[in-house]
Amino acid sequence: MTSWLTAADGPARAGLSGPKARPVIAGRDQVAGLLIYFVGAARRDTDPLASCLDSCGPLVPLRYQCSSSTMSRIQAQQDAQLTRAALPLLTLTLLSNEESYGYQLIERLADLGLEVTTGLMYPLLSRLERDGLVSTRMVPSTSGPPRKYFALTEAGRMTRASVQEQWQVVATAVHAATEKESAPHA
Amino acid sequence: MPDKTLKATPTRRRSFGDKVRADMYLTRLDWHLEAVLPGKERRATVKELRQTLASDPRDTTTSLRDLGAPRLLAEQYAGDARRRPLWSIGVITAGAALLIYWTVFLSYVFGMLAAVESLGSTEARATFLTIEVSAYSTTEAIGISWTSDWAWLILPTIIAALAFFLGARIWRAITPSAKSS
């Protein structure tokens, strides 16, 4: 049986998460997890299982995540890269619905179950503005300094359509490949 | 138009310590942004981030942790693969190298002075990295001295220049397109 972990158990810095779901861990994986916990506890002061899960990303079987530190590291890197790849499309899509300021976009993504750090979002918005894909305007705030609102430009709309198309091509290819691989061999 | 239905995120009141920490973070970010953004754009980015931090509803520790290490955040702002020299970090590295040099030098000379006093002799002479130094202790006077020839200035200058060269990654100015491929 394969146990799937959601990103609620993964780090915010890894990017994606599903805060409402809880992990379902199979008995065999629990044994493996306990072994890692106690072996790791002898080496570190921190909670090793937590740190292992912390470095893992969403939707990855526990036995793959924690089978080795190398695997976890590779998984964490892959998650970060996946988030970076998806974030421009997500941001352009959210901005096509309505203009928002930076932190508001993070909150809107969190409402969708995706946790993204400001360290990823703010530079992305800066790059989108530099490339002319979003326009900005300052709006006075009653609770502090004025906020910078971002809205999609016409170039941004075209880019979003193009990126979405690319994403669909990749997603379809990945889906087809994984379905084929996971199908029982004759 | 901004969505009025979204929950309001009130700005948190910052203490003096929070402002100092945010300023230190932004200063370090500014140093690293030199590698990826030209001056005007860099200043605008730091100013914008300062405003964003001021309006962040979370506490300063969480806000700064979420942004990540200044060096890594600066890398995220890069528009291309080109990296510029880090002039500010070069100056700081050179200053730190000089500080270390003078600390070691003065420790050496004052150590000599302590030895002269404890041994009851009047004067001791030695060479510290090509610089002739002396320590003396008589009934009339006590002190340290070193020769005022070229070595006294040249050696610290070489150390500072080397530290500046390495800290600022000067070679990036010489080969600006080296990393742009």
Side-chain angles (χ1 to χ4, degrees):
Chain A
M1 179 183 170
T2 302
S3 306
W4 296 96
L5 286 177
T6 63
D9 308 295
R13 62 182 167 276
L16 301 171
S17 92
K20 291 177 183 65
R22 298 303 307 160
V24 180
I25 302 173
R28 189 176 52 181
D29 296 329
Q30 284 177 329
V31 173
L34 283 171
L35 271 174
I36 291 165
Y37 182 86
F38 287 114
V39 170
R43 297 172 61 189
R44 291 192 297 271
D45 293 334
T46 55
D47 186 338
L49 184 59
S51 68
C52 178
L53 294 175
D54 206 39
S55 65
C56 301
L59 303 177
V60 177
L62 181 64
R63 64 168 171 269
Y64 293 143
Q65 288 183 340
C66 297
S67 60
S68 71
S69 61
T70 308
M71 200 64 199
S72 300
R73 207 165 43 244
I74 291 168
Q75 187 59 50
Q77 285 172 357
Q78 190 181 336
D79 292 340
Q81 286 167 359
L82 191 62
T83 307
R84 281 205 183 88
L87 198 55
L89 175 60
L90 291 168
T91 306
L92 291 173
T93 303
L94 289 181
L95 289 176
S96 70
N97 297 333
E98 63 173 298
E99 66 174 346
S100 299
Y101 56 89
Y103 192 73
Q104 195 179 23
L105 280 169
I106 289 170
E107 287 180 324
R108 289 176 66 190
L109 285 169
D111 289 343
L112 293 171
L114 303 170
E115 281 187 19
V116 176
T117 63
T118 50
L120 277 180
M121 180 57 79
Y122 294 157
L124 171 67
L125 289 170
S126 175
R127 291 199 302 273
L128 293 177
E129 185 184 4
R130 195 187 307 155
D131 295 342
L133 303 183
V134 295
S135 60
T136 61
R137 68 188 186 97
M138 298 302 286
V139 176
S141 169
T142 52
S143 60
R147 288 191 165 122
K148 191 175 187 178
Y149 276 79
F150 296 84
L152 214 57
T153 62
E154 196 48 45
R157 278 181 213 290
M158 288 163 64
T159 304
R160 179 185 160 271
S162 168
V163 173
Q164 190 170 8
E165 205 172 297
Q166 286 176 345
W167 188 266
Q168 285 299 336
V169 169
V170 174
T172 306
V174 169
H175 183 72
T178 50
E179 283 294 304
K180 191 178 169 185
E181 286 296 316
S182 60
H185 295 286
Chain B
M1 286 293 291
D3 184 6
K4 305 294 184 201
T5 60
L6 276 168
K7 61 184 176 186
T9 48
T11 305
R12 181 180 283 262
R13 188 177 288 274
R14 309 283 174 190
S15 68
F16 178 73
D18 286 342
K19 285 174 184 168
V20 170
R21 281 170 54 217
D23 277 346
M24 282 175 66
Y25 180 91
L26 291 171
T27 304
R28 287 171 59 206
L29 176 68
D30 194 22
W31 295 344
H32 289 288
L33 279 175
E34 275 187 342
V36 295
L37 296 176
K40 193 178 173 185
E41 204 174 333
R42 191 183 83 240
R43 284 188 291 275
T45 300
V46 172
K47 185 182 172 186
E48 188 184 321
L49 206 55
R50 191 184 300 278
Q51 282 186 338
T52 307
L53 274 175
S55 61
D56 197 315
R58 299 167 299 174
D59 63 275
T60 305
T61 305
T62 309
S63 304
L64 296 181
R65 192 173 52 226
D66 205 28
L67 283 172
R71 186 177 63 81
L72 298 177
L73 181 61
E75 283 290 322
Q76 297 283 328
Y77 277 98
D80 52 34
R82 185 190 164 189
R83 295 294 176 269
R84 299 169 175 80
L86 296 159
W87 302 116
S88 300
I89 290 181
V91 169
I92 291 160
T93 311
L98 276 181
L99 188 70
I100 292 167
Y101 169 78
W102 281 109
T103 303
V104 173
F105 179 79
L106 289 175
S107 300
Y108 183 85
V109 179
F110 277 109
M112 278 176 60
L113 182 62
V116 166
E117 280 196 315
S118 63
L119 292 172
S121 57
T122 56
E123 189 175 8
R125 289 178 181 278
T127 303
F128 178 86
L129 296 175
T130 73
I131 300 168
E132 286 184 13
V133 292
S134 67
Y136 54 92
S137 176
T138 62
T139 51
E140 293 85 26
I142 182 171
I144 55 174
S145 66
W146 53 86
T147 54
S148 59
D149 62 356
W150 62 270
W152 178 72
L153 280 176
I154 292 293
L155 191 65
T157 305
I158 290 172
I159 289 171
L162 196 63
F164 180 77
F165 184 88
L166 294 173
R169 283 86 158 164
I170 292 286
W171 56 89
R172 290 179 178 177
I174 301 163
T175 53
S177 59
K179 290 188 75 179
S180 61
S181 58

